[in-house]
Amino acid sequence: MAIDDVLTALRSLPGALELAPEEGSNHPEISWGDHFFYYAPDGEVPTNRQPHTTIVTKNYPDDTVSNLDEPGRWRLNLNVGADAYADLFGHPPGQLSVADVDHAATDTFVPHPIYGAYGWVSVVNPGEKTVDRAIELAQYAHDADRRRLERREAAGSA
């Protein structure tokens, strides 16, 4: 599946806010060309929480195992939490080391190379085997972000 198809699906989620830093923006240069998704129906980028879904299009200095600097490669990252993570992999987050996983494999769910222990999963170039589940998990991550925000607002700490 093309990156534009996944972006279209993510952008269609109710209350979705996409941060997509572009060349020359005030965002760090390393983030230019990547996409960060939040539940933010007010249209404001949250300053007190991380995105629930990201798409990265290049290696970062501490994150090179997916070989994203090769042409045509990109990675969808999803904060799915412990339960969905265990459903995908058959064990809770934090059970595998980075060395035990082929993070460069395409169209395959893997624990995120940096944040896997926190319930993040990744897939390089989602395709026929993973795209439907990836979109479902993006909806799940989006809904979880919405619930977290609602809890914070109810507690008066949003």
Side-chain angles (χ1 to χ4, degrees), residues 9 16 37 50 75 83 87 104 137 140 142 147-148 150:
F37 286 88
Q50 298 295 314
R75 188 178 72 209
D83 292 341
D87 184 50
L137 288 170
Y140 180 85
H142 180 78
R147 288 189 299 274
R148 282 189 295 275
E150 289 170 352

Side-chain angles (χ1 to χ4, degrees), residues 17-21 34-40 45-56 60 77-80 112 115 118-120 138 141-142 144-146 148 152:
L17 175 71
E18 175 187 10
L19 174 63
D34 293 340
H35 305 266
F36 306 87
F37 286 88
Y38 302 84
Y39 174 78
V45 176
T47 58
N48 61 348
R49 60 187 214 277
Q50 298 295 314
H52 60 73
T53 300
T54 67
I55 293 178
V56 294
Y60 278 62
N77 305 298
L78 305 153
N79 180 5
V80 300
H112 187 281
Y115 303 112
Y118 304 103
W120 280 78
H142 180 78
D145 195 31
R146 177 187 48 79
R148 282 189 295 275
R152 287 180 180 172

Side-chain angles (χ1 to χ4, degrees), residues 120-138:
W120 280 78
V121 301
S122 300
V123 58
V124 174
N125 293 45
E128 186 177 311
K129 294 187 308 186
T130 59
V131 73
D132 290 339
R133 183 72 172 132
I135 298 302
E136 289 173 11
L137 288 170

Side-chain angles (χ1 to χ4, degrees), residues 9 15 22 24 39 60 64 74 88 98 101 106 109 135 150-151:
E22 296 178 349
Y39 174 78
Y60 278 62
T64 61
W74 55 281
L88 273 175
V98 172
V101 178
T106 60
F109 284 106
I135 298 302
E150 289 170 352
R151 282 192 303 271

Side-chain angles (χ1 to χ4, degrees), residues 7-30:
L7 287 168
T8 297
L10 293 171
R11 290 169 179 149
S12 73
L13 298 172
L17 175 71
E18 175 187 10
L19 174 63
E22 296 178 349
E23 186 175 341
S25 71
N26 63 347
H27 299 283
E29 184 175 345
I30 189 71

